[in-house]
């Protein structure tokens, strides 16, 4: 009935045009059995009332009773998605409203055939694909499942408009050992991920866990598919984080670590959460993993943990200092000038390139941890990026480029990343490229950091010299100003030489290719 309404009635054809405009082609509509429930509230009831007893109609979940006790169509003016059980038999429907005057989504109520906490949308179709490739992706809704399918991810399912249940989780684990939960990258998506984590922790067992994928902030799978194509959607799933990483992220997000007492609370809360794991062996390994991450966060080495000492390792920040809060050393003479803004598009640009170099080459991060944590960034936006990079690096032994970029995008920083990429492309600096050799990237990064620090110190000294010259126009003061300006020009010239070398390296690499 619903499919016939979609394809043959004027109202249904308008709904079909809407679906086509959303990118759902006729093949997808047929494969997923999509239909349309007309407005009015009596069309389905009139069709069925001669064929079935009223009691059967009432318990089907397709009809509701009005105040006079009569039955009318539960679904009206909605695109309809059939919901099948494990064996592929339709047991319920979900409807998406066309128009803002109705609730956006409406599912069948609980019936003798349909218990929403036990069923996953599209599971009957996804199961075969999941067995074949070992991957099963859980998204939030029907349209998201279809978007995943259109992107080539056929093993996609969705809960029934509610948070994942224990029975649904058991169904997932019967199919694959590590299903991927895909959430929107906004706060609501993060909270949903944490709810799923709370559900899963007590149920973990050896070989069974979850992975978490986060979409760019403000985008659902359908949005991302339309904006960037199937590769972008597949990339989000490929960059999914292990459950232990999300547990750690949650601990970082929800705890302040500014004082020894708060750090103790942070550690206690994290361990209390891990202690909810029912399987003792899994719990033991989670506690060990958390211990490693705590040690990296607070700068404690393996040897120090064994001996009981707790001295920060160089170049890590001292105990209690957040890595991005460690100030670069400056002379007492210059401290008074440190609150003045640095001139400088060149200084800002160099800071951007330092950050981009470590986004594109995160394998260098632990080598440059101290320098990166100490480098002065005049932009609060760049400082936020650095904060996220360092916190992510503290939670992982090996930080992958694509996973880091996806993590930053999920935190709403795609615009910043796009700007940094465009800046690097305009400057034609080869060592910033993701495909640059690690040695080239290392050399370029080391020189950029040294030049950046030198330029900042020289700029401050120049301001001090200019202030002295304004107070006393002496030959000595004028010479000091001129000498400092020459040194700054020399720094900029050296940077241009590095950029030229980088461009030449890129050309040579292209010629080799």
């Amino acid at each position: 009935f619903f499919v016939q309404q979609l394809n043959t009635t004027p109202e249904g054809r308008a709904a079909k045009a809407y679906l086509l405009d959303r990118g759902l082609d006729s093949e997808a509509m047929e494969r997923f059995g999509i239909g349309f429930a007309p407005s009015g509230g009596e069309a389905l009831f009139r069709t069925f009332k001669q064929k079935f007893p009223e009691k059967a109609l009432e318990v089907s979940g397709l009809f509701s009773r009005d105040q006079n006790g009569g039955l009318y169509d539960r679904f009206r003016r909605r695109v309809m998605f059939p919901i099948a059980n494990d064996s592929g038999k339709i047991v319920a429907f979900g409807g998406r409203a066309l128009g803002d005057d109705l609730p956006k989504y409406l599912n069948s109520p609980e019936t003798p055939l349909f218990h929403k906490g036990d069923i996953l949308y599209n599971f009957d179709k996804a199961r075969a694909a999941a067995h074949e490739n070992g991957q099963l992706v859980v998204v939030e809704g029907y349209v998201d499942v279809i978007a995943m399918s259109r992107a080539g991810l056929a093993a996609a399912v969705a809960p029934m408009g509610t948070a994942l249940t224990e029975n649904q989780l058991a169904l997932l684990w019967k199919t694959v050992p590590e299903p991927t939960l895909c959430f929107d990258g906004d706060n609501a998506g993060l909270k949903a991920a944490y709810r799923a984590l709370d559900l899963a922790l007590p149920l973990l067992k050896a070989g069974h866990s979850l992975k978490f994928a986060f979409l760019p902030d403000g985008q659902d799978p359908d949005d991302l598919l339309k904006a960037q194509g199937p590769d972008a959607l597949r990339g989000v799933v490929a960059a999914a984080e292990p459950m232990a990483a999300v547990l750690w992220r949650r601990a970082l997000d929800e705890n302040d670590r500014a004082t020894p007492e708060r750090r103790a609370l942070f550690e206690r809360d994290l361990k209390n959460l891990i202690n909810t794991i029912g399987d003792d062996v899994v719990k033991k390994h989670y506690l060990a993993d958390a211990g490693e991450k705590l040690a990296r966060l607070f700068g404690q080495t393996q040897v120090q943990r064994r001996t009981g000492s707790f001295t920060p390792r160089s170049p890590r920040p001292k105990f209690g200092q957040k890595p991005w809060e460690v100030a670069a050393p400056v002379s007492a003479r210059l401290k008074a000038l440190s609150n003045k803004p640095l001139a400088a598009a060149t200084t800002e640009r160099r800071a951007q390139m330092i950050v981009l170099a470590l986004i594109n080459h995160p394998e260098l991060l632990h080598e440059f941890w101290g320098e990166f944590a100490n480098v002065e960034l005049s932009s609060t936006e760049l400082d936020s990026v650095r904060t996220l990079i360092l916190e992510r690096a503290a939670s992982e032994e090996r930080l992958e480029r694509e996973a880091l970029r996806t993590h930053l995008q999920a935190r709403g920083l795609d615009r910043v990343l796009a700007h940094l990429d465009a800046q690097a492309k305009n400057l034609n600096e080869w060592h910033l490229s993701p495909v640059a050799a690690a040695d080239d990237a290392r050399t370029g990064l080391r020189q950029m950091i040294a030049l950046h620090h030198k330029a900042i110190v020289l700029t401050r000294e120049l301001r001090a010299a200019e202030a002295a010259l304004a107070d006393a126009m002496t030959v000595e003061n004028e010479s000091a100003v001129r000498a400092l300006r020459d040194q700054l020009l020399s720094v900029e010239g050296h940077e241009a030489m590095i950029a030229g070398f980088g461009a030449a390296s890129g050309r040579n690499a292209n010629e080799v290719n």
Side-chain angles (χ1 to χ4, degrees):
F1 174 86
F2 291 139
V3 169
Q4 183 265 339
Q5 291 289 314
L6 181 73
N7 290 311
T8 63
T9 68
E11 197 177 19
R13 283 195 291 267
K16 189 170 186 176
Y18 162 81
L19 292 171
L20 290 168
D21 188 55
R22 290 288 304 267
L24 272 75
D25 58 23
S26 296
E27 189 274 331
M29 292 183 215
E30 184 176 348
R31 179 155 36 101
F32 286 93
I34 296 173
F36 177 71
S39 55
E42 294 182 352
L44 184 62
F45 179 64
R46 285 199 307 267
T47 301
F48 278 10
K49 68 179 181 179
Q50 304 300 327
K51 299 180 181 179
F52 303 100
E54 187 170 297
K55 181 63 177 176
L57 298 183
E58 184 177 10
V59 300
S60 70
L62 292 170
F63 305 95
S64 301
R65 287 202 179 273
D66 61 25
Q67 57 187 4
N68 297 319
L71 291 177
Y72 65 94
D73 296 357
R74 175 181 176 85
F75 297 99
R76 303 177 304 284
R77 201 166 21 115
R78 291 179 180 275
V79 173
M80 299 298 291
F81 301 86
I83 298 167
N85 62 14
D86 297 357
S87 59
K89 294 186 182 298
I90 296 172
V91 294
F93 287 90
R96 189 198 188 284
L98 294 181
D100 298 330
D101 55 329
L102 295 170
K104 187 174 181 180
Y105 285 103
L106 180 67
N107 288 330
S108 291
E110 295 272 322
T111 72
L113 294 177
F114 175 58
H115 303 286
K116 62 184 178 182
D118 297 342
I119 287 180
L120 291 162
Y121 175 69
N122 196 48
F123 182 75
D124 60 309
K125 295 185 180 71
R127 182 167 46 186
H131 284 311
E132 186 175 326
N133 60 29
Q135 184 182 66
L136 187 58
V137 184
V138 184
V139 289
E140 293 189 40
Y142 317 121
V143 176
D144 298 334
V145 167
I146 296 170
M148 287 287 180
S149 177
R150 289 165 53 213
L153 297 164
V157 297
M160 299 292 105
T162 61
L164 200 67
T165 68
E166 191 172 321
N167 287 347
Q168 289 168 336
L169 185 56
L171 195 60
L172 295 171
W173 277 334
K174 283 180 182 177
T175 311
V176 296
E178 286 193 10
T180 298
L181 309 187
C182 184
F183 296 97
D184 294 353
D186 55 14
N187 285 334
L190 207 56
K191 287 178 181 177
Y194 294 161
R195 285 196 300 272
L197 188 144
D198 287 336
L199 171 72
L201 272 175
L203 307 172
L204 292 180
K205 56 185 178 181
H208 285 79
S209 187
L210 296 173
K211 291 186 287 187
F212 292 78
F214 294 95
L215 294 149
D217 198 2
Q219 291 189 308
D220 60 26
D222 194 47
D223 296 328
L224 185 59
L225 179 63
K226 285 190 289 189
Q228 298 184 37
D231 286 344
L233 199 48
R234 290 196 293 266
V236 166
V237 174
E241 305 171 38
M243 188 164 167
V246 178
L247 178 73
W248 176 253
R249 182 206 289 195
R250 177 185 184 172
L252 291 173
D253 284 349
E254 295 182 351
N255 288 272
D256 176 9
R257 302 172 299 286
T259 67
E261 296 84 1
R262 291 173 187 169
R263 285 192 292 278
L265 180 64
F266 164 70
E267 185 171 343
R268 190 197 71 185
D269 287 350
L270 177 61
K271 288 181 177 176
N272 284 345
L273 199 56
I274 292 172
N275 280 328
T276 64
I277 297 173
D279 187 294
D280 288 339
V281 177
V282 175
K283 183 193 300 182
K284 179 187 75 173
H285 286 285
Y286 262 77
L287 287 169
D289 182 68
E292 293 285 341
K293 288 171 179 171
L294 286 165
R296 287 200 298 275
L297 182 64
F298 296 134
Q300 184 186 15
T301 66
Q302 292 278 1
V303 173
Q304 290 160 347
R305 286 201 298 282
R306 287 197 297 270
T307 60
S309 64
F310 205 89
T311 306
R313 61 180 176 180
S314 180
R316 296 285 193 166
K318 294 179 182 178
F319 184 91
Q321 288 178 301
K322 295 178 180 177
W324 52 93
E325 292 176 342
V326 180
V330 294
S331 68
R333 172 170 167 260
L334 295 177
K335 275 186 179 177
L337 296 168
S338 64
N339 60 347
K340 291 189 177 181
L342 298 174
T346 52
T347 302
E348 175 68 12
R349 185 184 69 237
R350 196 183 297 114
Q352 292 172 349
M353 296 304 96
I354 290 168
V355 172
L356 180 63
L358 285 165
I359 291 172
N360 284 340
H361 292 275
E363 71 276 7
L364 301 177
L365 188 54
H366 289 294
E367 182 180 339
F368 285 88
W369 182 282
E371 293 95 325
F372 186 49
N374 291 341
V375 74
E376 292 190 32
L377 303 176
S378 57
S379 159
T380 55
E381 202 169 51
L382 277 183
D383 194 48
S384 296
V385 175
R386 172 171 58 184
T387 298
L388 290 171
I389 293 172
L390 289 172
E391 287 198 337
R392 184 65 184 265
S395 70
E396 295 188 15
E397 284 287 356
R398 180 176 174 81
L399 193 58
E400 299 289 346
R401 179 190 307 123
E402 290 307 318
L404 176 59
R405 279 183 166 268
T406 301
H407 175 65
L408 295 174
Q409 288 169 342
R411 294 304 184 91
L413 293 169
D414 11 7
R415 181 184 58 80
V416 179
L417 290 177
H419 174 72
L420 294 178
D421 290 337
Q423 182 85 295
K425 187 176 182 181
N426 290 338
L427 293 172
N428 197 25
E429 297 197 22
W430 170 253
H431 56 278
L432 297 174
S433 166
V435 298
D439 285 344
D440 289 344
R442 181 181 292 107
T443 300
L445 180 59
R446 185 174 289 117
Q447 290 174 330
M448 280 192 297
I449 290 173
L451 289 172
H452 186 67
H453 180 68
K454 187 173 182 179
I456 287 173
V457 172
L458 286 173
T459 300
R460 286 173 174 158
E461 290 181 346
L462 176 59
R463 288 201 179 110
E466 287 172 339
L469 180 62
D471 289 339
M473 300 288 289
T474 66
V475 173
E476 292 82 1
N477 287 347
E478 186 178 351
S479 296
V481 169
R482 185 177 294 111
L484 287 166
R485 285 178 176 168
D486 287 345
Q487 288 182 65
L488 271 173
L489 286 172
S490 175
V491 168
E492 291 180 0
H494 192 66
E495 182 179 38
M497 183 179 72
I498 292 171
F501 167 76
S505 298
R507 285 195 298 273
N508 291 339
N510 288 334
E511 287 166 8
V512 170
N513 289 336

